[in-house]
């Protein structure tokens, strides 16, 4: 059996697990501090909420770019590395939001670096595919105006 987009699939599964972990951490402090809606003015609830929300803000971009690059170029070791490092960075950020500014900063900077690498790879892949004389480039037919 051939798996389509294996690096993206594994990364998405790890991200789903991480989303559950981050969400459970929010629920845990909400119950403990009796906060039903919002952060209730509690800094720990706010920190965990922001760690979860920040994860949800960045993860779709990383997964979409990872999938499209993998689809365009095929599986590659560095795409597996991008996914694994992204997940570890988000764990560091989640923990760092309440315990360690250093872990939080590592999580932020590594997330941005992975996103930048994927943007660069997607841009380069697009450029290479659209280069003149490239036999596998997609031709776009112009449709006459009605």
């Amino acid at each position: 059996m051939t798996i389509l987009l294996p690096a993206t699939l594994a990364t998405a599964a790890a991200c789903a697990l991480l989303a559950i972990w981050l969400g459970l951490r929010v629920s845990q402090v909400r119950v403990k501090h009796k906060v039903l809606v919002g952060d209730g003015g509690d800094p720990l609830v706010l920190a965990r909420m922001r760690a979860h929300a920040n994860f949800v803000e960045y993860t779709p971009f990383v997964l979409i770019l990872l999938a499209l690059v993998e689809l365009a170029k095929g599986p590659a070791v560095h795409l597996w590395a991008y996914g694994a490092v992204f997940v570890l960075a988000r764990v560091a950020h989640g923990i760092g939001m309440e315990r360690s500014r250093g872990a939080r900063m590592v999580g932020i900077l590594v997330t941005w670096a992975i996103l930048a690498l994927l943007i660069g790879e997607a841009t380069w892949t697009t450029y290479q595919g659209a280069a003149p004389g490239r036999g596998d480039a997609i031709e776009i037919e112009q449709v006459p105006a009605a």
Side-chain angles (χ1 to χ4, degrees), residues 6-23:
T8 304
L9 180 59
T11 303
C15 286
L17 186 61
L18 185 52
I20 290 170
W21 175 69
L22 290 167

Side-chain angles (χ1 to χ4, degrees), residues 21-84:
W21 175 69
L22 290 167
L24 286 172
R25 288 168 41 90
V26 174
S27 297
Q28 179 186 37
V29 293
R30 281 183 180 280
V31 169
K32 182 178 178 182
H33 297 276
K34 297 180 173 104
V35 177
L36 295 176
V37 178
D39 62 28
D42 186 289
L44 182 57
V45 175
L46 178 60
R48 288 190 180 182
M49 283 174 59
R50 284 306 310 147
H52 186 251
N54 191 267
F55 174 78
V56 171
E57 292 161 4
Y58 280 98
T59 300
F61 291 107
V62 169
L63 290 176
I64 290 167
L65 285 168
L66 188 64
L68 292 174
V69 169
E70 189 173 17
L71 190 59
K73 296 175 78 173
V77 172
H78 68 282
L79 296 177
W80 284 92
Y82 291 164

